[in-house]
Amino acid sequence: MQIKEQLKQLKPYQPGKPIEEVKKEFNLDQVVKLASNENPFGCSEAAKEALQTEVQQMALYPDGYSAALRTKLAGHLGVSETNIILGNGTDEVIQILSRSLLDAGTNTVMANPTFSQYKHNAVIEGAQVREVGLVEDGCHDLDAMLEAIDDKTKIVWVCSPNNPTGTYEPEQKLIGFLEKVPEHVLVVVDEAYYEYVTAEDYPETIPLLKRFPNLMILRTFSKAYGLAALRVGYGIASEELVRSIEPARQPFNTNRLGQAAALAALGDQAFIEECVRKNREGLKQYYDFCNGHGLDYYPSQTNFVLIDLKRDADELFQALLEKGYITRSGNALGFPGHLRVSVGTKEQNEGFLKTLAGILL
């Protein structure tokens, strides 16, 4: 069998170590996972109740069109149902876009470092990847990204807030960028952490869809909604774009349990507001620690923070792991010497920071 040559240069995505594996390996009773930017407060009780009902229907295929969720989501966002494409997480929507637009002879533009799956899928499709370094404050260099665009460019990816820095693109900066991107280029603004954003100049991108038909917005139920295990993400774009890429979507791609939980979770915005409040308090715990220990960090609009610890990130990762804290080494994210740490509960953050202080001394 002849496997695609481009697959030989790729490695499978490496998620954070499972809690049970770490417990067993280091003989620990308690392990706190702060590696995957999950919601430490779980999900809405309404979502849990919906799952209890839906579990009785597991022998049946889900609604392939996700009609009930699509209708509720469209109302929540203020768009038409035909402006939405649902995916098995936003990972699948990224895959659908890459499969639909990219191939050999085309190119795609993205920041570096940013979310790894943009590049991963582009390489699989045989497209040229043009990476543009972040500016000093951790934001996208949108001017340099514009310069990287040519007549073969199909997609430009803008992760805002960006993973792994947590930084964002302000409204006027993003609009100025969109005004200059050629019409033949799709701009994908990945807003996986949208619900956590509190910055006043963060753009409301959905109204921009009427002005920029070459724009798609990505959002997810995996982060603030706390439904990461059920894999429900979505894209918002023009009806024409959604219709044109739908053939690349797998049938029954969002499962029955995920649809039911997401539908119920949408109706509990009070839960989201409470999570956002607690998340800002958690970020302050990290900022206060960093300021008190002379550590640099990127101010975050997400539920994680990237900290410059100015030492071997893999060694720090391992030392924390052995003490029961799973984080992400910056070496794997394009930031040597850094750790990316998810915001946990108040108690989890306190425990982590106390442990980190002991290691740093």
Side-chain angles (χ1 to χ4, degrees), residues 229-260:
L230 297 176
R231 313 305 298 126
V232 182
Y234 58 97
I236 318 155
S238 70
E239 179 179 351
E240 180 182 1
L241 176 59
V242 170
R243 184 174 61 250
S244 67
I245 64 175
E246 273 281 353
R249 180 177 65 82
Q250 293 292 320
F252 311 117
N253 63 327
T254 54
N255 67 77
R256 180 175 285 276
L257 298 179
Q259 289 180 32

Side-chain angles (χ1 to χ4, degrees), residues 100-146:
S100 300
L101 278 78
L102 301 177
D103 55 24
T106 68
N107 68 72
T108 180
V109 177
M110 64 195 68
N112 180 32
T114 193
F115 185 49
S116 62
Q117 293 305 292
Y118 312 144
K119 180 177 181 178
H120 187 92
N121 282 282
V123 171
I124 290 174
E125 300 303 329
Q128 180 191 31
V129 176
R130 296 183 175 180
E131 297 178 283
V132 177
L134 300 173
V135 292
E136 189 175 349
D137 64 0
C139 293
H140 288 49
D141 189 341
L142 294 181
D143 290 336
M145 291 174 73
L146 279 171

Side-chain angles (χ1 to χ4, degrees), residues 41-55 72 221 225-227 230 256-272:
F41 308 107
C43 66
S44 165
E45 288 300 318
K48 295 177 185 178
E49 292 171 8
L51 286 173
Q52 293 301 316
T53 300
E54 201 63 31
V55 75
K72 184 74 173 278
F221 286 93
Y225 284 94
L227 299 176
L230 297 176
R256 180 175 285 276
L257 298 179
Q259 289 180 32
L263 180 63
L266 269 179
D268 189 1
Q269 290 302 307
F271 172 79
I272 299 298

